[in-house]
Amino acid sequence: MGDFLVPVSQTYKKGSEPDDFLSLSKAAEPAKVAQAVFRGASPEEALEALKAQPSHDTLLAVLRYLQSGGKDEHKFDVRVPGPLSAQIIHALVTEIVPNYWTVLQESPDGSAIRALLACLRSLSGINATLTYIRSLIREAKSQPKDLAGSYVTFNLTYTSSLLASILDGDGQVMRIWGYVTSLSGPSHARALRQEFLSLLTSGKIVSLSAEAEDICRQAGRLTEPLWVTDNKQYVNWLARNQIQWAKSQTKEEDIKLCAELGARAMRLGHAEILVQQLLYKLLLQDDVDKKIFSKLIDSYPLSEQRKVLFLILKLLSDLHLASIDDNEATEDYPTIWASVSVLQLVVANGDAQRSNLVAWLTSASGAGVGEGCSIRRAAVAALADNKESITEVLERSLSLFGDKLYIKHTPVLQQEAHAQVLLLSAGYVHRIAPMKLTILLRSSVYLNAISNRLDVSQSRARFLGMAVGEALSGLAHGKDNKLDFKVEEMATEEANWYKSLVHMSDKPGPLDPLRTFIPSSQTKPSKRPARQARPTSKKESPQPNKIPAKTGFIIEEVEDDEEQDDPDLAPYAKPDSDAEDSDDDPTLINRDKPKAPVYIRDLINYFRDTENYDKQKLALATAPTLIRRKANYGTEVVSHAVELASLLVGLQDKFDFENFYDLRLQGMVAVVVAQPRKMAPWFAKTFFDGDYSLSQRASILVVLGLSGREIAGFETSEYAPAAHFPSKTLPTRVERRYLQPASAADRLQAGANLKALPSNALDTLAQSLSQTFLAPMAAEAADAATGPDALKLSSFTSRLQQSQAGSSATTKYKSKSRGIRSIPNTTAAVISEHFFFPLSSRFQAAMRSPAAAKIIFQPYLLALYLKTLGLLIHAAGPSTLALPQMTTELWDLLLGVRGRCLNSNTVDGDGEGDLAVTHAVLLALAALLDVNEGDVRGLCERQGRQVVETMEWVSNVFDNTRGGEGAGDENDVKMLAAGILIRLREAVDKYQAVLMGDLIGFT
């Protein structure tokens, strides 16, 4: 059938018109909507334009319209709180900023971003920004896996930058409040006052910004940190804004509001930053700014006024008076006189601040413990023009100075500070009212004070009593009839310095020394010139005399049986063994590597270059040896010791070095060993006052413990032999000719085979100390368990004593055979005065500070602190003159922290931390009893109540601590408690008659 229909022909015809039915379909084009032109007729029109995804030109027009609000163009102002302004601000924050922030920032003249920020610089704008950041944070936490590519992180980054830009500037707080008062009316402004203060000083700006920054950092969107995330920078910003606001205001209400803002800002933390701005930007300026400072501080609450005064005292001491060497008691000090003027300006306007200064000088924890005498001179001189105040200082100081409990339980540094205040105030009272001082010296308060001082067993307390007695008697009774104890201690330079304080007379001076002073890194000298190491003057090296020419030749041949080649000379490695030469790309080879530093200044520059890997590695590896090598040659280490220590304490492991913490620790130990009198108190002060983490504070304690034992001779660093200059060593062949070869024991003693100290070096030393304490008692227990001594050839106790006696005899024999005479332990005074007392005295002051107490009472840090004190008192040894005072301070401290130990009902913490503190307390008690083993009777006479109280507490710890298999660390605690309990019960049984007086009153 298909063949029937055959086409005859085919013809193709081109149509003239297109066939719509046969044409290809095309995509439908969207209907073009005409962009509405913003005419600026009303705020409703601006809101609609912002919601309709405006173009760049339309957005600029809207922003200009909103910026001109409240002026002659129109009356609507977006910064005035209201329903319509809230909608516009919400649209700007949630719609415009996420989409247009980058474009607005790239505008050439910056007018667009300025207009946007001007619209949002209000309470409503800041609140809307914080609300949007909070919602973005909540959304980011709900989807933590897809943060990298999520729009949430982009919006969070832009909104955080917006918040920082809104607040940036020194006058923004004043402008924001100015908008509130000028546009809202007085009644509405009073309602917004609390909201304004709460917004800026509640801490939510910093907390939300920091949380947003952390999320952006995790997502990899953080380009640079924002200043609003740092609490220090935020408090500094508030301080600058407060000063700018106070300078431009004359109304009393505005000054009170400005003062309330500053008072609340001090509660955010880092109050010293705010007070430092007030000191340098107002108080040290012209007379107008001084009046503004007085008005501002007088409007503070009384508690904040007291805090401002104490912080000014601390700033003056740390930044200006710490570098003053007051060896010459009668020398003029312009910086001290300028400090007197500053303190007089602070206390001039009211009795409250004057009473605060009197309380600071005479309180049990005041008077600048651990600081130099200069700050006490300035504080006493600031009250010298007020007869009642300076007399009150003298009377309260004398009453406190003679109190028996104060003498027995107060740290020695605190007693020295109060003794200086007493002598300084006595001199001013004698010049103002001589009869008042004469009457006071005839009273029972003075007589009992001197008698109580002379009656104590602590040598330092007696010394202070004799110095005060002779100084005050010399003022009232003259040279002929004055009190004279006729002892050698009162003829020393230190005693003369104390007695010269009554003749000190400081006066107010110009403030120029404080204005032009640049705070340096120099540490303060010792407050007692007799105990301070005086730097020797650098003398010019004498020129060598020319050797006259001689006729002929003098030849001396040194024969050597061994081969002539020196085995100590190692050949250089072959050039082709360099690891970097094996790189295929020669452009990647770094031939410009830094060399190892040979000067302390170069070492400091290497440490400061934190972005250079090679310099950081070289500095860490070279620091321990270089610091020890330069310690006794020149003044490099003396001049830069504080700077070096600051860099080492704050150094971070940015490049993940091997043995980083060990090398950093060894560098700090080298600094302390090189300058113990200067750097040990600095490290103690840094531990309590520095702004460091727990790990950094722990490293400071480890440094003090290790360096103290090394100075005492218990440890030898591996870097000590390498710290000698090559010029001090003879050539090898000549050394073999004139010197005898050292034995293996001598080489071991010299530290040649020592290994690097591990990170838990302090715990290892504490463990060895506890084993040493328990070894004799273990031997006695073994003797008692194996039968009577008459049936044994040698008891465990006798063997232990024979081994100890044999080792000491061997040491004495070696010493005599070499001709080395025995020398006394002169380092005991250094360890007690510069290591132990600064640590123990500052602990008492830190306990009264809530912020410092939270850090110090961390279980791990507290345990390490107590172990350090135990190691230091053991390093000082039983021959230390200040051992009774050290024993008293340490024992009182240990009994004071019993609440943090195991089985205590006053601790809110986990059992592990409390167990560590318990072990540390017992270890310190073991060290205390060990060094006082030769004077157990004196210990029972002086600290009878502590002996009985400690025995009861240790017995309770022993009974309530489980032991046996699987007990873990509790076995060590139980063993230490058993050893201490045995020692204490032996002392009580032997000296029961001596303790009877204390036992009667003990319950």
Side-chain angles (χ1 to χ4, degrees):
M1 290 296 293
D3 297 339
F4 293 159
L5 300 176
V6 177
V8 178
S9 64
Q10 294 180 355
T11 303
Y12 296 96
K13 183 178 179 181
K14 186 176 182 181
S16 58
E17 295 180 359
D19 191 356
D20 295 338
F21 295 100
L22 300 178
S23 62
L24 297 175
S25 62
K26 297 181 180 180
E29 295 181 358
K32 295 183 179 180
V33 179
Q35 181 71 36
V37 179
F38 179 73
R39 302 182 183 278
S42 64
E44 289 80 4
E45 183 186 1
L47 179 61
E48 293 298 328
L50 292 175
K51 290 181 178 180
Q53 297 182 359
S55 63
H56 186 265
D57 296 334
T58 304
L59 178 61
L60 292 180
V62 173
L63 291 177
R64 293 192 192 97
Y65 170 78
L66 296 176
Q67 187 180 11
S68 61
K71 300 180 181 178
D72 297 336
E73 287 89 355
H74 57 91
K75 296 183 179 180
F76 177 76
D77 197 324
V78 71
R79 293 164 298 197
V80 177
L84 187 57
S85 62
Q87 296 181 44
I88 293 175
I89 288 175
H90 182 267
L92 288 174
V93 173
T94 60
E95 299 292 338
I96 301 302
V97 170
N99 297 321
Y100 294 91
W101 179 254
T102 306
V103 178
L104 294 176
Q105 280 188 322
E106 293 176 354
S107 59
D109 56 351
S111 59
I113 193 70
R114 286 197 300 270
L116 175 63
L117 295 178
C119 297
L120 297 176
R121 280 196 173 112
S122 63
L123 292 179
S124 302
I126 299 174
N127 279 322
T129 306
L130 292 174
T131 303
Y132 189 51
I133 290 176
R134 187 182 291 108
S135 65
L136 290 174
I137 291 173
R138 191 181 302 112
E139 188 174 356
K141 289 182 178 179
S142 63
Q143 47 179 3
K145 296 182 179 179
D146 302 330
L147 287 178
S150 176
Y151 75 96
V152 176
T153 56
F154 288 89
N155 294 351
L156 203 55
T157 303
Y158 298 148
T159 312
S160 300
S161 301
L162 171 67
L163 179 62
S165 301
I166 290 174
L167 298 176
D168 193 17
D170 290 350
Q172 300 307 327
V173 174
M174 178 183 62
R175 294 188 186 96
I176 293 172
W177 181 249
Y179 297 146
V180 174
T181 55
S182 61
L183 302 174
S184 302
S187 59
H188 196 191
R190 284 193 295 271
L192 294 175
R193 178 189 180 104
Q194 293 301 323
E195 181 184 354
F196 170 75
L197 293 173
S198 176
L199 176 65
L200 296 176
T201 60
S202 62
K204 60 182 177 181
I205 293 179
V206 177
S207 61
L208 286 175
S209 301
E211 192 172 2
E213 184 188 45
D214 184 61
I215 294 175
C216 295
R217 182 185 294 109
Q218 293 177 7
R221 291 291 306 163
L222 184 65
T223 55
E224 58 181 9
L226 300 174
W227 66 270
V228 287
T229 61
D230 188 356
N231 196 32
K232 287 185 178 180
Q233 297 187 34
Y234 183 75
V235 172
N236 194 3
W237 172 79
L238 281 177
R240 297 196 310 269
N241 277 269
Q242 181 195 17
I243 293 170
Q244 188 72 20
W245 191 5
K247 286 183 177 180
S248 60
Q249 296 297 328
T250 56
K251 297 181 180 179
E252 186 177 355
E253 294 183 359
D254 294 334
I255 291 293
K256 289 183 178 179
L257 179 60
C258 185
E260 188 174 356
L261 175 69
R264 291 194 180 190
M266 293 179 67
R267 301 166 192 169
L268 293 175
H270 307 288
E272 67 278 358
I273 297 177
L274 188 141
V275 175
Q276 186 173 359
Q277 290 289 336
L278 294 176
L279 176 64
Y280 288 100
K281 298 296 180 61
L282 288 179
L283 189 56
L284 296 181
Q285 301 302 320
D286 53 12
D287 295 337
V288 177
D289 292 338
K290 292 177 185 176
K291 294 180 180 178
I292 295 174
F293 175 84
S294 300
K295 290 181 180 179
L296 194 63
I297 299 303
D298 290 343
S299 302
Y300 274 40
L302 294 179
S303 59
E304 269 65 33
Q305 289 186 20
R306 178 188 180 94
K307 187 181 295 185
V308 168
L309 174 63
F310 289 176
L311 287 174
I312 288 178
L313 288 165
K314 188 176 186 303
L315 288 172
L316 290 175
S317 176
D318 293 342
L319 301 180
H320 300 282
L321 302 177
S323 59
I324 292 181
D325 185 7
D326 50 3
N327 289 350
E328 297 294 334
T330 58
E331 186 176 348
D332 297 340
Y333 296 102
T335 306
I336 296 180
W337 294 357
S339 302
V340 174
S341 300
V342 168
L343 294 177
Q344 283 189 347
L345 289 172
V346 175
V347 303
N349 295 330
D351 296 335
Q353 288 290 67
R354 192 176 292 108
S355 300
N356 291 335
L357 186 56
V358 172
W360 182 83
L361 287 169
T362 58
S363 63
S365 61
V369 56
E371 307 293 341
C373 183
S374 302
I375 186 61
R376 289 181 280 277
R377 287 176 52 182
V380 174
L383 299 173
D385 56 348
N386 191 295
K387 182 179 178 181
E388 295 180 359
S389 298
I390 195 66
T391 305
E392 183 180 1
V393 171
L394 176 60
E395 292 176 350
R396 293 174 63 174
S397 299
L398 186 59
S399 176
L400 186 66
F401 185 74
D403 186 77
K404 289 184 177 181
L405 292 177
Y406 170 84
I407 298 172
K408 187 175 183 180
H409 299 288
T410 305
V412 63
L413 292 183
Q414 190 73 67
Q415 297 188 36
E416 291 172 355
H418 284 147
Q420 295 169 17
V421 172
L422 172 60
L423 294 173
L424 289 169
S425 58
Y428 287 105
V429 171
H430 177 69
R431 286 184 287 273
I432 296 174
M435 187 57 63
K436 177 66 177 178
L437 181 63
T438 304
I439 295 174
L440 187 61
L441 293 186
R442 294 177 181 176
S443 63
S444 59
V445 177
Y446 169 76
L447 298 177
N448 291 333
I450 302 301
S451 300
N452 293 338
R453 284 279 168 178
L454 297 178
D455 192 39
V456 296
S457 58
Q458 291 89 349
S459 59
R460 194 63 189 168
R462 290 198 307 271
F463 170 82
L464 293 175
M466 289 187 290
V468 170
E470 288 192 4
L472 298 184
S473 178
L475 285 178
H477 304 145
K479 296 182 179 180
D480 298 334
N481 299 325
K482 71 174 183 177
L483 181 65
D484 189 2
F485 289 98
K486 299 184 183 300
V487 293
E488 296 181 358
E489 297 176 353
M490 291 296 100
T492 59
E493 183 182 358
E494 185 184 9
N496 293 330
W497 181 80
Y498 267 99
K499 289 184 285 187
S500 66
L501 291 178
V502 295
H503 305 293
M504 195 81 64
S505 179
D506 296 308
K507 56 185 179 180
L511 301 177
D512 296 334
L514 302 182
R515 293 168 181 160
T516 59
F517 181 81
I518 300 176
S520 63
S521 60
Q522 295 288 336
T523 187
K524 61 180 179 293
S526 175
K527 58 189 176 298
R528 298 180 298 275
R531 300 190 177 192
Q532 180 185 3
R534 298 176 178 270
T536 56
S537 59
K538 188 177 180 180
K539 299 180 180 180
E540 297 182 357
S541 57
Q543 297 293 333
N545 298 326
K546 294 184 178 180
I547 301 176
K550 298 182 180 180
T551 59
F553 298 93
I554 301 177
I555 300 176
E556 182 180 355
E557 182 178 358
V558 179
E559 298 180 356
D560 193 1
D561 297 337
E562 301 178 6
E563 57 181 2
Q564 297 297 323
D565 295 335
D566 195 342
D568 294 336
L569 297 177
Y572 289 105
K574 296 180 180 180
D576 57 353
S577 64
D578 193 352
E580 293 189 355
D581 289 340
S582 61
D583 203 314
D584 296 335
D585 189 358
T587 60
L588 298 178
I589 300 175
N590 183 17
R591 296 297 185 188
D592 191 19
K593 281 191 173 183
K595 298 181 180 179
V598 294
Y599 297 103
I600 298 297
R601 190 74 245 175
D602 297 337
L603 181 65
I604 292 175
N605 293 332
Y606 278 28
F607 275 126
R608 285 178 174 172
D609 193 357
T610 56
E611 302 299 328
N612 194 315
Y613 172 85
D614 295 327
K615 287 187 177 181
Q616 290 283 299
K617 186 176 182 180
L618 273 175
L620 277 172
T622 314
T625 305
L626 182 61
I627 295 172
R628 291 174 182 271
R629 183 182 301 169
K630 296 282 187 176
N632 298 321
Y633 295 90
T635 59
E636 285 185 272
V637 177
V638 178
S639 303
H640 303 96
V642 175
E643 192 173 1
L644 262 176
S646 302
L647 290 171
L648 286 168
V649 172
L651 197 62
Q652 301 292 333
D653 190 9
K654 186 176 181 180
F655 300 103
D656 196 14
F657 290 119
E658 186 180 0
N659 296 330
F660 170 81
Y661 294 101
D662 177 64
L663 292 173
R664 171 173 160 266
L665 190 69
Q666 292 290 355
M668 290 190 285
V669 170
V671 173
V672 179
V673 172
Q675 295 292 324
R677 290 181 173 86
K678 180 179 182 180
M679 295 312 301
W682 183 90
F683 272 104
K685 176 181 174 62
T686 304
F687 173 76
F688 290 100
D689 298 341
D691 189 10
Y692 294 106
S693 63
L694 292 179
S695 61
Q696 290 169 331
R697 294 176 192 268
S699 65
I700 291 174
L701 291 176
V702 175
V703 165
L704 289 174
L706 295 180
S707 57
R709 288 181 63 85
E710 183 175 347
I711 291 173
F714 288 94
E715 304 291 335
T716 304
S717 174
E718 62 171 332
Y719 298 98
H724 299 291
F725 275 113
S727 58
K728 303 286 288 185
T729 306
L730 294 173
T732 305
R733 288 182 290 180
V734 180
E735 184 178 359
R736 283 199 298 266
R737 179 180 178 86
Y738 292 103
L739 296 178
Q740 297 179 358
S743 62
D746 297 337
R747 288 195 300 269
L748 181 61
Q749 186 178 3
N753 299 326
L754 292 178
K755 297 181 179 180
L757 287 171
S759 57
N760 59 345
L762 205 62
D763 295 333
T764 305
L765 294 176
Q767 185 67 24
S768 64
L769 179 61
S770 63
Q771 292 176 359
T772 305
F773 175 74
L774 295 173
M777 286 178 284
E780 292 179 2
D783 289 342
T786 54
D789 293 343
L791 301 179
K792 289 179 284 185
L793 296 177
S794 178
S795 65
F796 292 95
T797 307
S798 60
R799 273 180 267 167
L800 178 65
Q801 293 174 354
Q802 289 173 5
S803 61
Q804 293 177 351
S807 61
S808 61
T810 306
T811 306
K812 291 180 181 180
Y813 174 76
K814 290 182 179 179
S815 302
K816 292 180 180 179
S817 62
R818 295 178 186 175
I820 302 176
R821 64 183 182 87
S822 300
I823 58 176
N825 183 13
T826 57
T827 60
V830 175
I831 295 175
S832 61
E833 295 169 14
H834 303 285
F835 285 80
F836 184 88
F837 287 140
L839 271 179
S840 62
S841 300
R842 290 185 179 275
F843 184 83
Q844 302 291 338
M847 288 178 63
R848 296 175 175 87
S849 174
K854 290 181 181 179
I855 299 174
I856 296 172
F857 283 118
Q858 292 290 330
Y860 169 73
L861 200 62
L862 180 60
L864 195 61
Y865 172 78
L866 297 176
K867 289 179 182 178
T868 304
L869 289 180
L871 290 175
L872 288 176
I873 195 173
H874 183 266
S879 61
T880 308
L881 294 178
L883 184 59
Q885 183 67 32
M886 295 172 68
T887 302
T888 301
E889 292 191 16
L890 181 57
W891 213 329
D892 290 342
L893 192 150
L894 294 176
L895 292 178
V897 298
R898 283 177 299 172
R900 303 278 169 175
C901 295
L902 193 66
N903 301 319
S904 175
N905 297 326
T906 60
V907 179
D908 297 329
D910 55 347
E912 183 179 358
D914 298 337
L915 183 63
V917 175
T918 306
H919 184 269
V921 171
L922 294 175
L923 179 69
L925 281 173
L928 186 146
L929 295 175
D930 191 39
V931 294
N932 287 278
E933 186 179 6
D935 189 22
V936 179
R937 179 183 177 87
L939 197 67
C940 294
E941 290 177 352
R942 295 187 299 266
Q943 278 91 22
R945 185 173 294 272
Q946 286 87 343
V947 168
V948 178
E949 190 174 352
T950 303
M951 186 176 64
E952 294 292 332
W953 175 74
V954 174
S955 177
N956 183 42
V957 171
F958 179 79
D959 294 337
N960 296 327
T961 304
R962 69 184 183 92
E965 297 181 0
D969 295 334
E970 292 189 0
N971 274 329
D972 298 335
V973 172
K974 198 173 185 69
M975 288 176 61
L976 266 177
I980 295 171
L981 197 59
I982 292 173
R983 284 282 184 91
L984 291 176
R985 284 179 176 174
E986 288 178 354
V988 170
D989 293 340
K990 188 174 182 180
Y991 302 104
Q992 189 172 4
V994 176
L995 290 169
M996 188 58 66
D998 290 314
L999 286 171
I1000 292 174
F1002 181 76
T1003 56

